[in-house]
Amino acid sequence: MFKTRLLSGIVLVILALFLIISGHEILLFATLAISCIGMFELYRVFKMEKTVLAGVGYLAAIVYYCNLQWKFLPDLMILFMAFLILLMFVFVFAYPKFHADQVMAAFFGFFYVAVMLSYVYQIRTLERGLYLAFLVFLCSWGCDTCAYCVGMLIGKHKMAPVLSPKKSIEGAVGGVVGAALLGVIYAVATHGAMLEYAVICGVGALISMVGDLAASAIKRNQGIKDYGKLIPGHGGILDRFDSVIFTAPVIYYLAKMILGL
């Protein structure tokens, strides 16, 4: 199992390197594809992944990502309102086929997965975006690794005993500190701002743990172990990108505020 997980992790890192370095439409449509798969996994939890309701969600994601590149909508609220109205249209005229919680899950899935994950692409479009985009994975996956190692060595106090019994406060602190140190090392390697990168990675790491626990909470509520089996040893897209989903928008706005982009 460890070997499978390690090999899958290496492939994911190589794929992330290729997509971020490529940027432009390649990264845009790859992120869209990943988002749609993630939405499919979440919709499957609510038993609606192949329904008209889910189709509206996938369509909204496609329109949203295309607008990021070509900006044909003057205000994104137009898309959000149109999406919600269309969902309610399906809900009303297909009644009683769908439940209200499925309608809410359709809207939540679009925003939680597609919109938040899109910030990986949006970071890439910033000045020095090629370097900044890697901070998302550096602080989320780096925090995960550092937290695991520190937790295994000295972890004693449970951080979320009911939700995730294996996670410790010591591990969480180690993850944040480790991510901040990785940010400093990365800044030196890329001629970036050391203090700023350390702060961005530290805050991003803290938020990434919330993303991880949030995805776990949804799984616990729905009584499932993994969102899917797409990535051997890791599970589905949401199992591997749960922390990235929360980290990406945080890194984007921190970079704009702290680095003045």
Side-chain angles (χ1 to χ4, degrees):
M1 181 66 176
F2 175 76
K3 184 178 179 180
T4 301
R5 186 179 178 86
L6 178 62
L7 290 174
S8 295
I10 293 172
V11 172
L12 284 174
V13 170
I14 294 172
L15 184 60
L17 284 169
F18 168 74
L19 292 175
I20 291 174
I21 291 172
S22 298
H24 304 293
E25 285 84 358
I26 293 177
L27 178 60
L28 175 76
F29 289 114
T31 310
L32 170 59
I34 293 170
S35 295
C36 286
I37 295 171
M39 290 172 66
F40 178 87
E41 292 175 350
L42 186 64
Y43 289 166
R44 183 167 54 196
V45 172
F46 292 91
K47 299 178 175 58
M48 48 170 281
E49 73 277 11
K50 296 181 180 179
T51 64
V52 176
L53 209 59
V56 175
Y58 304 140
L59 178 61
I62 293 170
V63 174
Y64 173 79
Y65 272 84
C66 288
N67 186 68
L68 287 178
Q69 178 67 21
W70 293 288
K71 302 188 185 307
F72 47 82
L73 293 176
D75 186 348
L76 273 176
M77 283 304 298
I78 295 173
L79 172 61
F80 296 148
M81 287 189 293
F83 177 42
L84 181 58
I85 291 170
L86 191 54
L87 285 177
M88 296 309 296
F89 184 95
V90 174
F91 178 53
V92 168
F93 288 98
Y95 191 85
K97 182 177 182 180
F98 301 111
H99 297 285
D101 60 343
Q102 291 177 310
V103 177
M104 289 183 281
F107 190 86
F108 170 72
F110 162 68
F111 198 89
Y112 171 58
V113 183
V115 174
M116 294 184 73
L117 199 57
S118 74
Y119 280 91
V120 173
Y121 169 76
Q122 294 189 62
I123 292 171
R124 183 63 177 83
T125 63
L126 296 175
E127 183 183 348
R128 287 184 61 83
L130 173 61
Y131 301 104
L132 292 172
F134 287 115
L135 289 179
V136 175
F137 302 95
L138 188 68
C139 68
S140 57
W141 293 350
C143 173
D144 188 42
T145 302
C146 292
Y148 175 79
C149 294
V150 173
M152 287 290 291
L153 291 172
I154 60 172
K156 293 182 180 180
H157 301 88
K158 302 298 182 183
M159 183 172 66
V162 177
L163 181 57
S164 187
K166 293 183 179 180
K167 287 183 170 57
S168 66
I169 295 175
E170 293 84 357
V173 173
V176 173
V177 173
L181 289 175
L182 287 172
V184 171
I185 295 170
Y186 184 68
V188 172
T190 60
H191 304 289
M194 288 191 289
L195 179 59
E196 287 83 349
Y197 276 34
V199 172
I200 290 172
C201 282
V203 175
L206 186 63
I207 299 300
S208 76
M209 289 186 284
V210 178
D212 183 26
L213 290 171
S216 296
I218 294 173
K219 288 190 287 187
R220 288 294 183 96
N221 279 164
Q222 300 299 320
I224 61 173
K225 184 178 183 297
D226 294 314
Y227 284 103
K229 299 179 180 179
L230 182 64
I231 308 172
H234 294 271
I237 288 294
L238 293 182
D239 295 297
R240 182 64 277 181
F241 287 83
D242 50 6
S243 57
V244 173
I245 286 172
F246 270 51
T247 306
V250 172
I251 297 294
Y252 176 82
Y253 289 110
L254 282 177
K256 295 195 73 172
M257 289 187 293
I258 295 176
L259 300 176
L261 300 178

